Amino acid sequence: MQIFERDITTLEQLPEVAKEVLAVFPKTRLFGFYAEMGAGKTTFIKALCDELGVIDVVNSPTFAIINEYQTKQHQPIFHFDFYRLKSLKEASDLGCEEYFYSGNYCFLEWTELVEPLLPQDFLKIQITVSGSKTRRLSATQMH
């Protein structure tokens, strides 16, 4: 089980930490984020998307549940926010499993709400608030 941990104290650190996460887990395409409201899930996903060359505006798909972005190389990246999900069946009806198994990058907020639908192999990213400006990012490869 590969583990990656970093303390983030400024927004300026995000590009470098995003680059490190992608380098440490180069084959991973499914990223499940676990954190309390306001901890920085969407902010870190923006940094990952920037590093991957996304040309679209990245924002939380709170009401749409899913946003699709394109990279400079015309590769799709999918960003989910399951906060407003009413049931696991709703996620299944949206075809989430097709996205999860597509081989494209998928970034999931509120992952715990869809865990039964996930493949065994995904990256669990925990963001813990420790102080007004400090976040601890822990990434664990799940199998």
Side-chain angles (χ1 to χ4, degrees):
M1 183 181 315
Q2 193 167 12
I3 298 175
F4 172 92
E5 289 186 329
R6 291 290 180 275
D7 285 329
I8 301 169
T9 56
T10 68
L11 290 174
E12 290 75 23
Q13 290 176 275
L14 290 178
E16 186 59 36
V17 175
K19 181 184 258 181
E20 284 183 75
V21 167
L22 293 169
V24 170
F25 303 99
K27 295 181 181 178
T28 300
R29 294 296 180 266
L30 187 61
F31 294 68
F33 287 81
Y34 296 77
E36 64 186 63
M37 182 81 70
K41 294 179 293 294
T42 302
T43 303
F44 191 66
I45 289 169
K46 285 179 185 179
L48 289 167
C49 286
D50 286 346
E51 190 60 36
L52 291 167
V54 166
I55 56 176
D56 299 310
V57 174
V58 175
N59 53 35
S60 181
T62 302
F63 295 100
I65 299 182
I66 179 171
N67 285 346
E68 179 178 342
Y69 312 123
Q70 293 293 315
T71 67
K72 294 172 189 167
Q73 296 79 25
H74 306 289
Q75 297 297 311
I77 293 178
F78 302 102
H79 179 188
F80 298 83
D81 184 336
F82 294 113
Y83 182 74
R84 296 190 182 282
L85 196 69
K86 293 175 180 63
S87 69
L88 198 56
K89 182 180 182 323
E90 185 180 352
S92 188
D93 289 348
L94 287 169
C96 289
E97 291 162 289
E98 291 177 38
Y99 294 101
F100 299 163
Y101 288 91
S102 69
N104 294 305
Y105 280 99
C106 293
F107 300 120
L108 289 59
E109 298 188 45
W110 302 101
T111 308
E112 57 273 22
L113 299 175
V114 295
E115 276 184 347
L117 300 177
L118 297 178
Q120 286 185 334
D121 190 19
F122 73 99
L123 189 66
K124 179 178 183 177
I125 297 182
Q126 178 75 47
I127 301 174
T128 308
V129 177
S130 54
S132 64
K133 296 190 184 230
T134 302
R135 305 290 189 266
R136 167 145 286 223
L137 185 136
S138 302
T140 307
Q141 187 70 53
M142 308 303 288
H143 296 288

